[in-house]
Amino acid sequence: GESVGLHLPTLSVQEGDNSIINCAYSNSASDYFIWYKQESGKGPQFIIDIRSNMDKRQGQRVTVLLNKTVKHLSLQIAATQPGDSAVYFCAEPAGSSGTYKYIFGTGTRLKVLA
Amino acid sequence: DTAVSQTPKYLVTQMGNDKSIKCEQNLGHDTMYWYKQDSKKFLKIMFSYNNKELIINETVPNRFSPKSPDKAHLNLHINSLELGDSAVYFCASSHGSGKMKQYFGPGTRLTVT
């Protein structure tokens, strides 16, 4: 749904620690999810995706976990670095397969503390 | 090589003016999008085009008129600009429809005074 009048949630993490960014989705029929990273002054950049037939998917230093029971998605970043500071969005296609519309979450700002 | 490019990067204009933002992708994708991001970073789809055809028009005022001269370009023209149009506009592209990652442009920051 839309986020109106909400402040962007912020997660502050010490450099070297692991980060966990959460996302709740509402459509139980959603079968594909994407995580994007948006650095200041730039467009969102693809990080990792996962399809609903998987519970977990790993990339380089990132892991996405999908819990369909509670409609929850999380992005884990291992050994967080200053370059990980950004706003992170989860996204899902709206509607049925073949849709050309994506719904983005409200975003979480990750701040990496030196 | 720039995958998705937008021009201009910054646009400052007065209320009532008409302006255009251009977008080009060199990825060979057949689907392109326009998104609006407000000051709270909320990202919302405005339009989707597939093979130059409008697929999604997300209840955007008809002052906004997208045009896709070919599959590699999707431009956005805005008439009679209003203060509330101030935002960052992102163009994106993907191969095919849903369940495919999108590639975003660098954004155009529009400020209406």
Side-chain angles (χ1 to χ4, degrees):
Chain A
E2 293 199 17
S3 165
V4 179
L6 295 178
H7 292 292
L8 193 63
T10 299
L11 174 66
S12 296
V13 175
Q14 208 68 35
E15 183 179 353
D17 287 352
N18 296 336
S19 302
I20 300 177
I21 300 170
N22 297 306
C23 178
Y25 63 94
S26 55
N27 184 4
S28 56
S30 290
D31 58 0
Y32 178 64
F33 304 88
I34 309 177
W35 278 100
Y36 288 94
K37 172 186 180 184
Q38 185 178 18
E39 295 176 86
S40 180
K42 297 184 179 179
Q45 180 185 15
F46 171 85
I47 303 173
I48 192 168
D49 57 3
I50 188 168
R51 298 187 187 272
S52 61
N53 59 354
M54 303 171 73
D55 296 325
K56 179 179 177 179
R57 189 164 189 221
Q58 284 184 292
Q60 189 177 14
R61 279 200 310 118
V62 295
T63 300
V64 56
L65 297 178
L66 175 61
N67 185 330
K68 295 181 284 293
T69 304
V70 294
K71 293 185 283 189
H72 183 268
L73 198 64
S74 68
L75 177 71
Q76 300 179 359
I77 304 173
T80 311
Q81 302 169 359
D84 295 327
S85 292
V87 177
Y88 290 81
F89 295 95
C90 63
E92 58 179 310
S96 58
S97 60
T99 183
Y100 294 87
K101 175 181 170 181
Y102 281 80
I103 302 292
F104 279 73
T106 53
T108 297
R109 185 183 299 281
L110 176 64
K111 285 187 176 178
V112 182
L113 308 172
Chain B
D1 283 345
T2 303
V4 183
S5 59
Q6 293 177 232
T7 54
K9 186 157 175 65
Y10 299 97
L11 187 52
V12 181
T13 188
Q14 291 185 326
M15 283 174 57
N17 284 349
D18 303 339
K19 290 293 178 187
S20 291
I21 307 171
K22 297 190 175 189
C23 177
E24 176 181 3
Q25 54 93 5
N26 62 5
L27 298 166
H29 290 163
D30 54 6
T31 305
M32 296 185 73
Y33 312 80
W34 276 110
Y35 285 86
K36 179 179 180 180
Q37 187 172 49
D38 63 21
S39 59
K40 296 193 186 329
K41 297 291 188 184
F42 185 67
L43 202 57
K44 185 166 165 51
I45 184 80
M46 298 173 68
F47 301 102
S48 297
Y49 267 74
N50 176 255
N51 286 316
K52 303 192 297 176
E53 244 186 78
L54 178 66
I55 304 296
I56 296 284
N57 180 341
E58 195 61 10
T59 58
V60 177
N62 56 15
R63 297 183 295 104
F64 290 78
S65 51
K67 281 194 172 47
S68 183
D70 55 59
K71 287 197 297 185
H73 295 84
L74 180 62
N75 303 322
L76 184 65
H77 187 76
I78 315 170
N79 289 328
S80 303
L81 278 154
E82 300 177 357
L83 292 176
D85 298 332
S86 294
V88 181
Y89 292 84
F90 288 100
C91 177
S93 72
S94 68
H95 181 68
S97 62
K99 305 179 187 176
M100 297 294 292
K101 61 186 179 186
Q102 297 178 341
Y103 293 78
F104 283 79
T108 296
R109 182 175 291 278
L110 172 66
T111 304
V112 183
T113 60

